[in-house]
Amino acid sequence: IRKELLIDIEKMSNMVSSMQQQVIKAYEAKDIKMLDVIFTDEQRVDDIYLKLRIALESEISNHPNQTSALLTILFALKNFERIADYITKIAYISKYVVTGEGRTHEH
């Protein structure tokens, strides 16, 4: 797997981990601005996932003998993306609990 893909994989996993920590801190602090950052971060995670998915599909085409390993990575990345979606839902609910306002972002 190419080095730039590994860098993006690490970046994506670090972002998801940071989002998880941030949503808890934001809720505890009742910090709406911190919750709003999660919505932006989730879009960035989606963008990285799409980029990586396309790149990994290309890698599978170019290196069919590595298909199993590359699919495992792709499945793991999809799970990171889904975790980011769940964290974002927690942020929406937290924002509602803090402000009483409904969703301002549709997901």
Side-chain angles (χ1 to χ4, degrees):
I1 193 163
R2 296 186 324 250
K3 185 176 182 174
E4 62 270 12
L5 295 179
L6 293 173
I7 290 169
D8 282 342
I9 290 168
E10 183 177 12
K11 180 179 180 181
M12 183 179 176
S13 67
N14 288 339
M15 285 184 69
V16 172
S17 177
S18 175
M19 287 172 68
Q20 183 269 327
Q21 294 170 18
Q22 189 171 358
V23 76
I24 293 168
K25 289 178 185 176
Y27 177 75
E28 288 174 343
K30 311 266 188 279
D31 188 331
I32 300 306
K33 289 180 183 179
M34 196 182 303
L35 289 169
D36 286 339
V37 170
I38 291 169
F39 305 134
T40 302
D41 286 350
E42 194 267 338
Q43 184 58 54
R44 290 174 45 207
V45 167
D46 286 348
D47 293 344
I48 294 169
Y49 170 72
L50 179 60
K51 176 183 169 185
L52 285 169
R53 191 190 83 208
I54 291 167
L56 287 170
E57 288 170 355
S58 176
E59 288 288 312
I60 289 168
S61 294
N62 294 330
H63 306 284
N65 59 325
Q66 296 179 359
T67 298
S68 180
L70 293 168
L71 282 175
T72 299
I73 293 168
L74 186 58
F75 290 140
L77 293 174
K78 180 60 181 171
N79 284 320
F80 280 133
E81 188 271 335
R82 289 300 299 143
I83 292 167
D85 289 344
Y86 292 131
I87 292 167
T88 302
K89 288 181 185 197
I90 292 168
Y92 281 126
I93 293 167
S94 298
K95 188 170 183 177
Y96 176 76
V97 168
V98 171
T99 66
E101 297 174 9
R103 287 186 172 187
T104 57
H105 299 78
E106 280 304 314
H107 195 331

